[in-house]
Amino acid sequence: FPQSSGVNRAIKAIDKHSVHQICSGQVVLTLSTAVKELVENSIDAGATNVDVRLKECGTELVEVSDNGKGVEEANFEGLTLKHHTSKLKDFSDLIRVETFGFRGEALSSLCALSVVTCHESSQVGTKLVFDHKGHLVQQSPHPRQQGTTVSLQQLFYTLPVRHKEFQRNIKKEYAKMIHVLQSYCVVSTGVRITCSNQNGQGKRSTVLSTSGSQSMRDNIGAIFGPKQLQSLLPFQQVSPAEHVIEEYGLKDADLPQELFYMTGFVSRGDHGVGRSATDRQFFFINNRPCDPLKVTKLVNEVYHMYNRHQYPFVALNIAVAYECVDVNVTPDKRQIFLQEEKLLLAILKTSLINMYEDGVNKISLNYTPIHRTSKHRHLACISVYKMFMLKSASEICPAVPSNENVPEPAEDMEPVSRSSKSSLNLAGLKAAFSSHHSSNSGNKSSVAKVANSEEQTEPRTPNEDRAVSPDAKRARTEKPRCPAEHMSNTVDAPVCLQKRTVLLQFSLQELAGKVKRLQDLQKQRADDDLRYRRFRAKINPGENQSAEEELKKEISKDMFKEMEIIGQFNLGFIITKLNCDIFMIDQHASDEKYNFEMLQQHTVLQGQKLIIPQKLHLTAVSENVLLENIEIFRKNGFEFLVNEDAQVMERVKLVSLPTSKNWTFGPADIEELIFMLSDSPGVMCRPSRVRQMFASRACRKSVMIGTALSVGEMKKLLIHMGEINHPWNCPHGRPTMRHLANLDIISQD
């Protein structure tokens, strides 16, 4: 509506400059988007060498240089104009778009910028300068070999709010940009991609670099180091299993063949080779980096079946016909619509399970040659074996009565196995068996179903069909009748009803008075609840979270010193009173939490020098995180030898490790610290094993249950609770205090 604050205003067209600023802000939202768009342009131009150079992590300068085809002089004017592109002519071209970019929005959104380019047909390069509207304002000769260099200075400075937020969160923006750039490094085979950053007047440091290999595996090794390669499995695609097809509601007969072809690598399922987060998961559709949410969720769910505490490294490319993909969904092109997505998920799930089962859940059975006359005995062995497997999987398949006979196959049936040795897949066996079992079929034997499933793998002859008694067939198909069916005639008998009219006494005034009294009563109860029932959670392990939230809300740190000591209960709990509320405090848990936080804040771990400096093979990104937070590593007992002139992934060597009595630490703790500091740079933190060590020390030096305390000692524990950051539970998760009762409520009762 064209009205605001009671003043009529005419509807007018927004001026073109404002339109450009508004629309530009919707295309390029972050540093990672800006770098992505420029790198995509370089790869689309056929570049085999792409160099990304940053100053101050991108706040001062973003420059992308390549050796692609360059820009022809005829295209200079339209290079940064809105919706000008060389990659498609009309909407129908979107069906088979094969380039990263296609909208003609990116360069327009990134203005103002400068471009130095030299087309493959030119002898000398040209420098182009564009204004904020995308218009070419300066053109001059400039020495350059074939290719293009695009420079952006002061990104987002024309958008004041975004520019301020961008500078404030530059570390996080920078980390996201590196992750996006890593995805292009992984998938862009045959393209050498480098990224470097310069802070202040310091030396320019390489952040990541690939060698231009034709192998995705080599690219992964160049970015994440040889250690990551040791934990990877090549993805092996197989056809979807029948039970997975049923799970996704697909019909086998209607499924298209060879629609998807997947290649890539995933982590092994062994514990310790995965990641603590999903920070190294890269998905591609036709080599385009994307965020397929359902695919990502499925990969992690399957991995957690084998390694429940970690996440896999994933680099997976899904090749599919271009007409089956819609990439024009979001401005950053990261969300993609796919035809036959359920089929893709079914193939992916079956393939992953098959890969992981190949190495872990395989059971080998040695068979002797089976003759036709011994088929009964062999089937009985298989049935007993599957009953054993069913028993071991009783949580999945509930036991059922087994008082019926196993159907016996004909003597002249073919043997089940001709080989002397075969393998049975444990997870597949469980899934196959449980799919034949119904929890409602209590009158059928699970053994009979196993035998039947074995028999159905071979065709029956007409004579065999005639040999089955009709009574047996009817017994299998008929269901027992419900006793209620015999009562249906009685229940449905018609009833004759007699109606009569009765006058009711009604007063609208009396009804209004009752409603008002009810509202007053409800308001009074609400006021009483607000006044007295601040603590509702019960002392129950299932309500620990609710109780902790209530305490955080109602109790501030300075309230602990105001609490009145009532006494000690059972030589383990301090009973206190604050106004009308009574609390119970665990003397050991509260003292343990105080000692733990003091150790966390003030302990500087002593390091043990190594005889020979140890190479860490950190990625360039991890090296930079370590160097920027090296003081935090020193407080944790780690010392490093830094060589700024060394090549990437070899600039940092470990020379000292923290040790403490029986506790030893190593490179895994360094990687955990790097991951934590990537999210919270500059914030003091400890590896999980250091926290475990501190928790163990804090426990041993704290007041024990069974120790009698004086009033002064109990008061000291309360004051300590007001001095720590998280006083509500101990390092091991036990609650430190709980609300017992409110004296006002007790007196009313």
Side-chain angles (χ1 to χ4, degrees):
F1 293 95
Q3 296 184 2
S4 177
S5 304
V7 179
N8 291 332
R9 295 186 178 180
I11 298 177
K12 297 180 179 178
I14 303 175
D15 65 273
K16 292 183 179 180
H17 176 67
S18 298
V19 168
H20 180 79
Q21 285 188 300
I22 293 170
C23 295
S24 299
Q26 293 177 329
V27 176
V28 179
L29 305 174
T30 61
L31 172 65
S32 59
T33 310
V35 173
K36 174 189 89 75
E37 296 289 349
L38 295 178
V39 170
E40 286 183 349
N41 279 347
S42 295
I43 297 175
D44 285 343
T48 58
N49 194 345
V50 180
D51 185 22
V52 181
R53 298 166 63 87
L54 307 175
K55 273 191 177 181
E56 303 295 343
C57 299
T59 57
E60 293 298 320
L61 174 70
V62 176
E63 183 178 275
V64 177
S65 180
D66 65 60
N67 65 345
K69 296 178 181 179
V71 182
E72 290 183 283
E73 184 174 358
N75 293 325
F76 287 171
E77 290 282 350
L79 185 62
T80 60
L81 291 179
K82 197 74 169 177
H83 305 138
H84 282 57
T85 182
S86 61
K87 298 167 186 176
L88 54 82
K89 296 180 179 178
D90 54 40
F91 186 78
S92 62
D93 291 345
L94 273 176
I95 298 176
R96 297 193 58 84
V97 64
E98 299 182 15
T99 55
F100 285 119
F102 51 82
R103 293 199 190 104
E105 292 181 325
L107 287 180
S108 172
S109 302
L110 293 170
C111 286
L113 53 81
S114 63
V115 177
V116 177
T117 185
C118 179
H119 190 257
E120 57 185 350
S121 62
S122 302
Q123 299 298 320
V124 66
T126 305
K127 183 176 182 179
L128 310 172
V129 179
F130 298 88
D131 64 13
H132 294 290
K133 298 178 183 179
H135 295 148
L136 180 62
V137 295
Q138 184 180 338
Q139 176 178 340
S140 59
H142 196 280
R144 198 203 191 285
Q145 294 181 341
Q146 178 183 323
T148 303
T149 299
V150 180
S151 301
L152 307 174
Q153 293 183 337
Q154 297 286 328
L155 190 62
F156 302 132
Y157 84 97
T158 58
L159 304 169
V161 175
R162 187 173 300 178
H163 185 244
K164 185 177 180 181
E165 283 295 301
F166 173 59
Q167 290 185 315
R168 188 170 67 88
N169 299 313
I170 185 57
K171 292 294 184 182
K172 290 184 179 180
E173 290 275 342
Y174 179 71
K176 290 178 182 177
M177 183 276 296
I178 294 298
H179 184 266
V180 170
L181 196 55
Q182 285 173 343
S183 65
Y184 288 91
C185 290
V186 168
V187 77
S188 300
T189 55
V191 181
R192 181 178 181 270
I193 300 178
T194 59
C195 178
S196 60
N197 179 55
Q198 181 182 16
N199 290 324
Q201 299 300 318
K203 184 179 178 181
R204 177 166 293 278
S205 60
T206 301
V207 179
L208 54 81
S209 176
T210 61
S211 61
S213 170
Q214 295 293 334
S215 163
M216 177 187 284
R217 189 177 189 277
D218 290 345
N219 287 348
I220 293 172
I223 302 165
F224 302 110
K227 184 178 178 182
Q228 180 68 78
L229 291 178
Q230 296 170 6
S231 67
L232 298 183
L233 293 172
F235 184 84
Q236 298 175 354
Q237 181 174 332
V238 298
S239 299
E242 290 186 9
H243 68 279
V244 178
I245 291 176
E246 293 178 1
E247 177 186 340
Y248 284 99
L250 300 170
K251 294 181 180 179
D252 198 3
D254 300 335
L255 296 180
Q257 299 297 318
E258 301 180 356
L259 179 61
F260 299 103
Y261 178 66
M262 288 176 273
T263 56
F265 299 88
V266 293
S267 295
R268 296 199 315 267
D270 309 341
H271 182 73
V273 302
R275 306 282 301 168
S276 58
T278 59
D279 60 327
R280 291 188 184 176
Q281 296 190 354
F282 307 97
F283 297 92
F284 313 93
I285 293 182
N286 294 335
N287 293 323
R288 178 188 295 276
C290 60
D291 299 318
L293 300 181
K294 293 181 181 178
V295 171
T296 305
K297 181 181 178 183
L298 176 62
V299 171
N300 288 305
E301 285 177 349
V302 173
Y303 190 78
H304 285 161
M305 293 166 57
Y306 305 90
N307 184 347
R308 52 183 281 190
H309 297 296
Q310 293 183 301
Y311 296 90
F313 174 100
V314 185
L316 185 66
N317 182 44
I318 304 167
V320 61
Y322 286 98
E323 57 267 22
C324 297
V325 184
D326 184 359
V327 298
N328 189 31
V329 180
T330 57
D332 61 0
K333 311 182 190 82
R334 299 284 296 189
Q335 300 298 320
I336 292 179
F337 288 160
L338 274 175
Q339 291 183 18
E340 303 292 347
E341 186 179 42
K342 289 185 178 180
L343 173 59
L344 171 64
L345 297 176
I347 296 172
L348 181 59
K349 183 171 185 178
T350 304
S351 301
L352 288 171
I353 291 176
N354 187 67
M355 288 169 56
Y356 290 130
E357 288 293 332
D358 224 22
V360 288
N361 278 342
K362 269 208 167 180
I363 299 176
S364 297
L365 298 178
N366 291 322
Y367 293 119
T368 56
I370 301 173
H371 302 286
R372 296 185 179 185
T373 56
S374 63
K375 182 62 181 294
H376 294 91
R377 183 164 59 252
H378 175 69
L379 266 181
C381 291
I382 291 294
S383 300
V384 171
Y385 171 74
K386 289 194 175 181
M387 285 185 66
F388 171 77
M389 296 309 302
L390 176 64
K391 183 177 180 181
S392 68
S394 57
E395 293 182 0
I396 301 175
C397 306
V400 295
S402 57
N403 55 355
E404 297 184 16
N405 295 325
V406 179
E408 296 187 358
E411 291 285 341
D412 57 349
M413 291 180 66
E414 292 295 325
V416 172
S417 173
R418 300 179 184 271
S419 62
S420 60
K421 185 176 181 181
S422 66
S423 296
L424 290 178
N425 185 290
L426 177 59
L429 188 64
K430 291 179 183 178
F433 185 71
S434 60
S435 67
H436 287 284
H437 172 70
S438 171
S439 59
N440 297 325
S441 57
N443 62 328
K444 293 186 180 181
S445 168
S446 60
V447 181
K449 290 191 175 184
V450 173
N452 279 334
S453 65
E454 292 293 334
E455 289 180 271
Q456 290 171 4
T457 60
E458 300 177 30
R460 285 181 175 270
T461 64
N463 292 333
E464 287 174 329
D465 286 337
R466 285 195 293 271
V468 180
S469 169
D471 293 334
K473 288 184 178 179
R474 186 166 57 253
R476 288 199 300 269
T477 56
E478 288 184 354
K479 297 181 181 178
R481 295 183 64 190
C482 174
E485 294 179 10
H486 301 290
M487 301 171 61
S488 60
N489 292 335
T490 305
V491 174
D492 293 339
V495 177
C496 183
L497 298 176
Q498 294 182 352
K499 298 181 180 180
R500 60 174 180 162
T501 302
V502 178
L503 295 176
L504 297 177
Q505 298 295 327
F506 175 76
S507 170
L508 185 61
Q509 185 177 2
E510 183 179 351
L511 177 63
K514 289 182 178 180
V515 170
K516 188 177 185 306
R517 286 194 296 273
L518 180 61
Q519 290 174 341
D520 292 342
L521 181 61
Q522 289 175 341
K523 185 176 182 301
Q524 182 180 351
R525 288 177 178 173
D527 292 341
D528 291 344
D529 286 347
L530 185 63
R531 181 178 178 185
Y532 299 118
R533 298 299 300 277
R534 296 185 301 161
F535 303 96
R536 295 177 176 272
K538 299 177 181 178
I539 302 180
N540 185 309
E543 298 194 25
N544 279 349
Q545 184 66 32
S546 300
E548 185 176 329
E549 292 298 327
E550 289 177 350
L551 291 169
K552 287 180 181 178
K553 179 181 178 182
E554 301 293 342
I555 304 297
S556 60
K557 291 184 180 181
D558 54 357
M559 289 183 180
F560 285 102
K561 60 185 178 184
E562 299 175 3
M563 290 184 176
E564 176 186 350
I565 303 291
I566 296 178
Q568 186 183 25
F569 170 70
N570 206 26
L571 295 180
F573 301 93
I574 303 170
I575 308 301
T576 67
K577 176 175 174 290
L578 179 64
N579 299 326
C580 296
D581 290 301
I582 305 296
F583 298 92
M584 176 174 66
I585 296 175
D586 185 324
Q587 64 188 42
H588 175 73
S590 58
D591 195 29
E592 182 182 17
K593 188 56 177 286
Y594 173 79
N595 290 328
F596 173 76
E597 290 204 9
M598 293 300 105
L599 288 171
Q600 284 268 79
Q601 293 176 21
H602 304 298
T603 302
V604 177
L605 294 175
Q606 300 302 314
Q608 176 67 48
K609 293 287 185 181
L610 302 179
I611 298 176
I612 300 175
Q614 180 180 352
K615 292 183 179 180
L616 295 176
H617 298 293
L618 298 174
T619 66
V621 177
S622 297
E623 281 183 342
N624 288 337
V625 172
L626 187 152
L627 294 174
E628 290 171 2
N629 299 274
I630 199 162
E631 190 59 36
I632 293 175
F633 284 90
R634 285 175 179 154
K635 288 183 178 179
N636 280 288
F638 296 100
E639 294 286 345
F640 304 97
L641 178 64
V642 180
N643 182 2
E644 293 284 357
D645 297 325
Q647 63 181 6
V648 178
M649 292 193 287
E650 294 188 5
R651 289 182 295 176
V652 179
K653 293 182 180 179
L654 179 65
V655 296
S656 179
L657 278 172
T659 59
S660 180
K661 297 182 180 179
N662 296 328
W663 293 82
T664 57
F665 304 90
D669 303 292
I670 296 174
E671 291 183 2
E672 183 184 3
L673 265 181
I674 289 173
F675 175 75
M676 297 165 69
L677 290 167
S678 297
D679 281 344
S680 304
V683 178
M684 181 61 195
C685 55
R686 304 281 190 179
S688 57
R689 296 182 67 251
V690 172
R691 294 196 300 271
Q692 291 173 14
M693 181 183 71
F694 286 161
S696 178
R697 287 185 183 178
C699 180
R700 290 195 299 271
K701 70 183 294 188
S702 300
V703 175
M704 295 297 175
I705 298 293
T707 303
L709 300 177
S710 65
V711 173
E713 290 171 327
M714 289 187 279
K715 189 67 177 177
K716 182 179 179 181
L717 293 181
L718 289 181
I719 293 174
H720 281 171
M721 289 186 72
E723 296 175 352
I724 58 180
N725 294 325
H726 305 285
W728 314 116
N729 46 51
C730 79
H732 302 101
R734 296 191 309 274
T736 55
M737 68 180 293
R738 283 293 178 264
H739 180 264
L740 282 181
N742 182 282
L743 297 179
D744 287 345
I745 294 179
I746 294 175
S747 62
Q748 284 184 356
D749 294 341

